[in-house]
Amino acid sequence: MSKKGILTVLGARPQFIKAAAVSRQLQVLGIPETIVHTGQHFDENMSDVFFREMSIPAPAYNLNINNLNHGAMTGRMLEQVEEIILKEKPSAVMVYGDTNSTLAGALAAVKLHVRVVHVEAGLRSFNMAMPEEVNRILTDRISSLLFCPTDAAVANLKAEGFDGFKTQIVKCGDVMQDAAYFYLDKAKSSSKILERLELRSDFILATIHRQENTDDTNNLKQIIEALNRINRKLRVVVPLHPRTRKILEPKRIKPEFTIIDPVGYLDMLMLTSNSKLVMTDSGGLQKEAFFFGKHCITLREQTEWVELVEHGFNRLAGANAEAIYNAFSEMINKKTNFDIDLYGNGKASERIAHYIKQWL
Ligand code: UDP
């Protein structure tokens, strides 16, 4: 790798979307980037389609590490990313979000005294039972440069004493907004998902994949029961995550709504921007609902995107069927003015690239 280059470690769907936005801006400024794909998400629907549709630079390494328990997965990634860092000698390692790939990339780098850049730093759910929360906290602590999407994220870091650490904290906005704005035109001209599913704007878009909802059978049953009931009033469409699909059948949970395979980002943009309401336990989708002026019901007890709840765009409903249905009844006809800049209005990646250029 040439001098002053970045090694990006990624592996899961939301990271492809974030990296698509940032990689483009790194290229604009001529910052060399080498991508390592850990393989955490690996097939056509969960990985390849994003690289193709979003023109993400092809990974130089694909580690194909997946379908393992957290420890084994993170451990194998750590071992292999370390070898790559030793070989490539990057100026810094960049990681995104909160997955095992994030933590493995950061840990491998810091132990070799290579600086870590964390994009989407400072988010907290304050629920340590979530694997994502553990990954975020540890990654933030061992990073040299933290790019925070929101004021709340900066405040979380300050509350954890980061002012006393040698860590640079930069509030830059949310790179997912950059991606949503950038790819919408392409989605409008190429996606056929609305025609394929015979949808106009009379539907609810829902996703379920969090471990706290998939591994807890009662939570999953309650959510499916609520979506079945709502589907009798307004069509519910769910691009189903493979983790959730694997669990429904053996547990004999029977959805009555429209289930489709996971879709590419362009199809997802069309579904979100044309829906009447979004219901999800995804982090990214809560914000995408907001970007397109849609209310969201979050199927969790906490969210890291607290500003959405504070402004009434989002409601936390947990995984209780009655609470979810009540939230639906309240939110479906709600009128809210979405005209507020919470996430940097599509300029976050540009800020990140400019900052990195002078920092490297
Ligand atoms: N997404 C997608 N296809 C799908 C479901 C989600 O492209 O079938 C996108 C979604 O629009 C968002 C991202 O994947 O940009 C969110 O990823 P996910 O929900 O897997 O993870 P989280 O955001 O919760 O970390």
Side-chain angles (χ1 to χ4, degrees), residues 175-185 265 269 288 291-292:
V175 299
M176 286 191 113
Q177 188 162 33
D178 310 11
Y181 288 178
F182 185 86
Y183 291 99
L184 185 62
D185 280 345
Y265 187 63
L269 286 180
E288 285 161 349
F291 303 153
F292 296 115

Side-chain angles (χ1 to χ4, degrees), residues 12-15 17-18 41 45-46 50 98-99 120 132 176 207 209-210 239-241 260-269 271-272 280-288 300 305:
R13 178 169 67 186
Q15 293 165 338
I17 294 161
K18 292 164 198 170
H41 287 162
N45 292 341
M46 295 296 287
F50 296 93
D98 53 26
T99 70
E120 209 179 68
E132 294 91 342
M176 286 191 113
T207 71
H209 78 286
R210 287 268 160 205
L240 199 62
H241 195 286
I260 55 175
D261 283 338
V263 294
Y265 187 63
L266 302 181
D267 283 347
M268 197 62 182
L269 286 180
L271 289 172
T272 312
T280 190
D281 58 8
S282 156
L285 192 53
Q286 291 175 52
K287 284 169 296 157
E288 285 161 349
R300 291 175 49 198
W305 306 101

Side-chain angles (χ1 to χ4, degrees), residues 280-281 286 296-300 302-303 314-318:
T280 190
D281 58 8
Q286 291 175 52
C296 179
I297 296 171
T298 296
L299 306 170
R300 291 175 49 198
Q302 317 90 14
T303 180
N314 190 337
R315 224 191 104 162
L316 296 175

Side-chain angles (χ1 to χ4, degrees), residues 31-157:
I31 301 169
E33 182 187 28
T34 300
I35 295 183
V36 180
H37 187 331
T38 63
Q40 191 172 341
H41 287 162
F42 54 93
D43 60 12
E44 163 63 26
N45 292 341
M46 295 296 287
S47 173
D48 300 356
V49 65
F50 296 93
F51 283 84
R52 200 173 54 243
E53 285 186 348
M54 303 179 84
S55 307
I56 304 169
Y61 299 87
N62 200 323
L63 308 183
N64 199 19
I65 301 170
N66 45 63
N67 284 327
L68 295 164
N69 288 336
H70 284 279
M73 191 192 287
T74 314
R76 280 180 209 182
M77 288 174 183
L78 181 61
E79 193 176 357
Q80 294 194 35
V81 173
E82 179 176 63
E83 276 176 31
I84 297 169
I85 296 173
L86 285 168
K87 181 166 161 235
E88 295 283 345
K89 302 186 178 41
S91 293
V93 166
M94 183 142 77
V95 292
Y96 292 87
D98 53 26
T99 70
N100 292 337
S101 305
T102 315
L103 179 60
L107 195 50
V110 75
K111 296 259 182 166
L112 294 171
H113 301 152
V114 174
R115 295 174 297 171
V116 178
V117 181
H118 185 203
V119 176
E120 209 179 68
L123 295 180
R124 298 290 182 263
S125 65
F126 302 99
N127 175 1
M128 286 299 279
M130 286 175 72
E132 294 91 342
E133 184 77 352
V134 175
N135 291 338
R136 286 179 197 128
I137 290 175
L138 298 178
T139 302
D140 283 343
R141 186 63 188 85
I142 58 179
S143 294
S144 293
L145 177 54
L146 297 175
F147 286 110
C148 294
T150 58
D151 290 329
V154 175
N156 288 336
L157 294 174

